[in-house]
Amino acid sequence: MILPGLLLLMVIMTAQMPAGRVPAPVTLSWPDYFGNRVFLPAGNPVTEDGIALGRRLFYEKALSSTDQMSCATCHQQAKAFTDGKRFSAGADGVLQPRNTMSLANLLWVRQLFWDGRAGSLEEQAVTPLTALHEMGQSLVVSAAKLQKLPRYRALFRRAFGSDSITGDRIVKALAQFERTLISANSRYDQYLQGKYQPSVSESNGITLFYANTDPVRGTRGAGCAHCHGGPKTYSDLFHNNGLDSLPADAGRQQITGQAYDKGRFRVAALCNIALTAPYMHDGRFPDLESVIDHYSEHVIHNETLSPFLQQPLLLTKQEKNDLLAFLHMLTDSAFVTDPRFSNPFNNN
Amino acid sequence: MIRNCFLGLLLLTGMTAMAQQKPAVKVSGEVTRPLTLYPENLRQMKRTTVSLKDRDGNDHAYTGVPVQEILEQAGVTTGKALRGENLSKYLLVRCADGYEVLFSLAELDSSFTDRVVILADESGGQPLPAGKGPFRLVVPGEKKPARSSFQVTDMIIRFAKD
């Protein structure tokens, strides 16, 4: 009886509090060649204080049922926000059904997760926070726990204009922080900006990545860019890349219910790819060499295999090495050591 | 044991739910009548056959419904109504794999052009092959077939507002 009364009083108090200073808006920037097809919801503008709060929440273990796990347990900066495991364990020790995804350049991703089931970073964040086998705690409990911790009331006030701590604000702050995770300083970026001269092998790798094999014109290519193409090495597409004849995980089909989506998964971004092993939605390939071997000679025909992968590539040893050299160009060391994305609790 | 049965049941019901999902094309945006077109709807509409040079370099005949016909059914500004600000409208075609291509409405309208773009559902009397069908946009007369996109799921009409 007393508790609801107290809560009501608190609500009234916050409502009457003078609106403090307005959080300072932040303009995110990226190279022109990324294009501006970004997804920035009007209802959650990115602000300095929102980002600072989101970063803290990303590393906050109180958001899990055991107080032992944060987003960063699975999404570790040094590994381009992955954890090197085939399947990561949730707070309760149960393994995730799919491989942890790398987090970078999420502004350009419209459908999140391997099957594209979340339409925004705000919506996405609810899943890891509340899923039984991930952080396993309701947003209401998370909000109540944060209320009791020092500093959060002030941080929420600065980010959102009032003391109230809610699930909605938690996911909004997390999303703001994630939107700042822009990786654009790999050697490939530097090459695109005219600041880096690629080696012969890297240069051949770039050509192979973009080109298709055409016996008539005598060109050799690996055709990767059909799906992973463009300077972001990402396109917002779903494909079946021939991993299995009968996919154990139906992927996109589970969301759309359409037979033609069976075994289709979101095309993964390749930035920082050398840091995010193991590979594919089920982490089946331990290294990039195995990935290249897959595309070169082990693509498995199945009813929904992408039309772009019908012909085996049969790359030579040298071509494989060149492609590998290109994939290694995509590592952005500045991104994985950027103090703005690091654990803020280490500094306290 | 009980848990396993339960899981089996869940999987089974999940699978039947999936199997029941029929492919369709949704027409939405600046329309007065949003449509969801199933295969049988397309078969009952005005149909036509056009020819397209595919990636193999050969001409193939495709049959389906003119896009203009679909837009008219959805109450989009076509023909005489395609003037003034309506000339800044576009059609965005989205496919199952996320691929998207764009047309200005005037590109698709018989009062502007003789080219007939269709939403095809058969070729040579056969349903379209898996991977391309059930619905393919067929855009005749282009140097490459990149806008003749496969597995269409959405047709979205909007104003360009920049």
Side-chain angles (χ1 to χ4, degrees):
Chain A
M1 211 30 231
I2 297 175
L3 198 67
L6 205 71
L7 274 175
L8 191 69
L9 194 72
M10 273 165 55
V11 171
I12 294 169
M13 276 168 55
T14 33
Q16 287 178 342
M17 230 166 33
R21 67 193 177 83
V22 181
V26 167
T27 310
L28 301 173
S29 60
W30 51 84
D32 293 339
Y33 55 77
F34 273 20
N36 298 315
R37 196 191 191 217
V38 292
F39 302 102
L40 277 162
N44 189 21
V46 180
T47 65
E48 242 167 61
D49 295 306
I51 296 167
L53 173 60
R55 173 178 167 208
R56 198 176 165 94
L57 293 173
F58 191 85
Y59 288 91
E60 177 55 78
K61 293 183 175 167
L63 293 177
S64 66
S65 58
T66 52
D67 291 325
Q68 301 289 316
M69 168 168 264
S70 69
C71 308
T73 309
C74 299
H75 298 289
Q76 301 166 11
Q77 184 184 10
K79 295 190 168 73
F81 296 98
T82 61
D83 62 358
K85 305 209 168 78
R86 183 161 183 200
F87 299 111
S88 322
D92 63 356
V94 176
L95 297 183
Q96 301 306 303
R98 292 181 184 147
N99 184 243
T100 296
M101 298 175 90
S102 155
L103 307 182
N105 300 340
L106 294 165
L107 273 179
W108 290 268
V109 180
R110 182 163 41 171
Q111 292 153 304
L112 296 128
F113 285 128
W114 283 110
D115 52 16
R117 66 190 183 276
S120 69
L121 286 167
E122 286 80 357
E123 182 191 340
Q124 189 283 331
V126 177
T127 298
L129 287 168
T130 61
L132 185 60
H133 303 310
E134 285 186 75
M135 295 160 79
Q137 179 167 285
S138 77
L139 294 178
V140 176
V141 174
S142 286
K145 275 164 90 174
L146 295 182
Q147 289 273 3
K148 296 200 194 97
L149 289 172
R151 292 190 47 191
Y152 274 111
R153 304 242 308 260
L155 292 173
F156 275 81
R157 183 178 347 108
R158 292 172 68 148
F160 296 108
S162 75
D163 276 17
S164 113
I165 299 182
T166 62
D168 181 55
R169 287 181 171 185
I170 293 173
V171 299
K172 278 185 167 155
L174 281 167
Q176 286 188 38
F177 170 64
E178 291 176 281
R179 292 195 171 100
T180 66
L181 301 175
I182 295 171
S183 172
N185 198 22
S186 67
R187 268 180 293 140
Y188 183 54
D189 286 293
Q190 291 164 11
Y191 155 75
L192 292 171
Q193 295 160 15
K195 297 177 194 156
Y196 174 76
Q197 179 65 46
S199 70
V200 174
S201 182
E202 287 171 341
S203 184
N204 291 339
I206 296 172
T207 308
L208 283 167
F209 184 81
Y210 282 98
N212 298 312
T213 292
D214 184 342
V216 179
R217 280 186 292 171
T219 56
R220 286 287 292 166
C224 314
H226 261 308
C227 300
H228 296 281
K232 292 191 295 289
T233 60
Y234 175 69
S235 340
D236 217 19
L237 295 174
F238 297 91
H239 275 289
N240 176 321
N241 65 344
L243 297 175
D244 298 291
S245 52
L246 282 172
D249 182 336
R252 184 79 182 143
Q253 187 188 23
Q254 286 174 339
I255 310 307
T256 65
Q258 299 291 350
Y260 53 61
D261 283 329
K262 187 168 171 184
R264 269 187 176 158
F265 290 89
R266 216 190 67 219
V267 171
L270 297 186
C271 59
N272 297 305
I273 195 70
L275 302 176
T276 67
Y279 300 106
M280 303 300 165
H281 70 274
D282 55 4
R284 66 175 62 197
F285 297 129
D287 47 41
L288 288 172
E289 287 82 349
S290 329
V291 172
I292 293 174
D293 286 346
H294 164 75
Y295 284 112
S296 176
E297 54 251 28
H298 302 305
V299 168
I300 296 175
H301 269 266
N302 67 79
E303 46 182 338
T304 57
L305 177 65
S306 163
F308 304 123
L309 292 170
Q310 301 287 337
Q311 302 300 327
L313 294 172
L314 304 178
L315 302 169
T316 65
K317 184 90 195 69
Q318 186 58 50
E319 287 170 334
K320 287 182 181 182
N321 285 341
D322 294 344
L323 209 47
L324 191 64
F326 168 68
L327 294 177
H328 278 278
M329 280 181 88
L330 303 176
T331 300
D332 179 351
S333 323
F335 176 74
V336 296
T337 53
D338 191 327
R340 293 174 303 161
F341 310 143
S342 65
N343 186 347
F345 293 98
N346 291 345
N347 312 331
N348 299 349
Chain B
M1 186 55 205
I2 295 178
R3 240 187 96 181
N4 273 343
C5 288
F6 182 63
L7 202 77
L9 199 72
L10 259 180
L11 276 173
L12 210 72
T13 45
M15 266 151 68
T16 37
M18 269 188 216
Q20 278 164 2
Q21 199 78 24
K22 266 195 301 180
V25 176
K26 283 206 176 69
V27 188
S28 64
E30 297 279 344
V31 299
T32 53
R33 288 181 299 276
L35 304 176
T36 302
L37 298 170
Y38 293 99
E40 60 270 25
N41 303 124
L42 285 186
R43 281 195 293 272
Q44 281 157 13
M45 293 169 75
K46 187 183 126 189
R47 296 172 70 81
T48 189
T49 297
V50 299
S51 170
L52 176 78
K53 196 186 282 301
D54 260 320
R55 274 189 210 286
D56 61 9
N58 298 324
D59 287 323
H60 296 274
Y62 286 88
T63 304
V65 179
V67 169
Q68 183 167 9
E69 181 73 14
I70 295 172
L71 298 182
E72 274 165 18
Q73 285 221 1
V76 177
T77 49
T78 55
K80 286 206 173 67
L82 190 48
R83 56 205 289 268
E85 65 175 20
N86 292 333
L87 283 171
S88 66
K89 278 183 192 160
Y90 61 83
L91 165 70
L92 182 71
V93 176
R94 186 176 295 152
C95 305
D97 64 1
Y99 188 70
E100 291 177 340
V101 295
L102 184 132
F103 299 82
S104 75
L105 286 194
E107 278 186 275
L108 303 163
D109 201 279
S110 60
S111 61
F112 283 81
T113 171
D114 292 328
R115 171 174 77 176
V116 181
V117 175
I118 69 169
L119 184 66
D121 55 5
E122 54 176 79
S123 180
Q126 298 292 316
L128 300 181
K132 297 191 175 173
F135 313 113
R136 177 181 185 185
L137 199 74
V138 175
V139 190
E142 303 208 323
K143 283 191 179 172
K144 54 179 175 178
R147 291 206 291 183
S148 293
S149 38
F150 305 143
Q151 294 180 338
V152 174
T153 58
D154 289 276
M155 298 171 73
I156 302 159
I157 294 90
R158 298 214 191 282
F159 273 111
K161 280 184 181 161
D162 242 356

